[in-house]
Amino acid sequence: QVQLVESGGGLVQPGGSLRLSCAASGSIFSINAMGWYRQAPGKERELVAAMPKGGKTNYADSVKGRFSISRDNAKNTVYLQMNSLKPEDTAVYYCNADIRGAYNPTPRVYWGQGTQVTVSS
């Protein structure tokens, strides 16, 4: 069984910073792309940042220059460093990963449970 566990959300003032972490665990053979999405109340889930294994990162225009995605392949963990946060960044943040399980050769996408980020004064 594979699972993704996120941490690092919370309440922060505008202009502040937060760092989200997402660790994949379980019977994992390999992990391809990892990324972060977010969903604000009343809105659809949207891509924030994605990072293929060894590939070029991709960011939503709204977060370019403020957010940075990174990963530690040895720890099966992806991070999202969020700086200069704005109230419009308030959302539930979800990580996802394209994972090939140890007992199944077909990769599939897994999602974390989500972590709330609230930017407010």
Side-chain angles (χ1 to χ4, degrees):
Q1 187 75 4
V2 174
Q3 62 176 350
L4 302 180
V5 178
E6 298 136 341
S7 61
L11 173 65
V12 64
Q13 292 186 343
S17 298
L18 281 175
R19 188 190 194 210
L20 305 182
S21 300
C22 173
S25 63
S27 301
I28 297 170
F29 179 81
S30 63
I31 301 177
N32 300 315
M34 301 185 82
W36 291 92
Y37 286 70
R38 67 185 180 187
Q39 187 166 19
K43 295 187 177 181
E44 294 187 353
R45 190 173 298 188
E46 62 174 0
L47 173 70
V48 176
M51 189 171 195
K53 186 175 184 180
K56 185 178 179 181
T57 56
N58 182 34
Y59 294 95
D61 288 342
S62 59
V63 306
K64 284 181 180 177
R66 301 188 297 122
F67 291 12
S68 178
I69 187 172
S70 61
R71 59 191 282 179
D72 184 335
N73 292 326
K75 295 182 179 179
N76 290 338
T77 299
V78 63
Y79 306 94
L80 185 68
Q81 178 66 44
M82 305 184 293
N83 299 326
S84 302
L85 282 160
K86 305 175 181 180
E88 51 263 42
D89 294 317
T90 296
V92 178
Y93 284 70
Y94 299 89
C95 71
N96 82 341
D98 185 29
I99 297 175
R100 178 182 169 184
Y103 307 110
N104 187 341
T106 304
R108 56 158 287 192
V109 175
Y110 292 84
W111 290 89
Q113 80 283 1
T115 185
Q116 177 70 45
V117 171
T118 302
V119 184
S120 175
S121 55

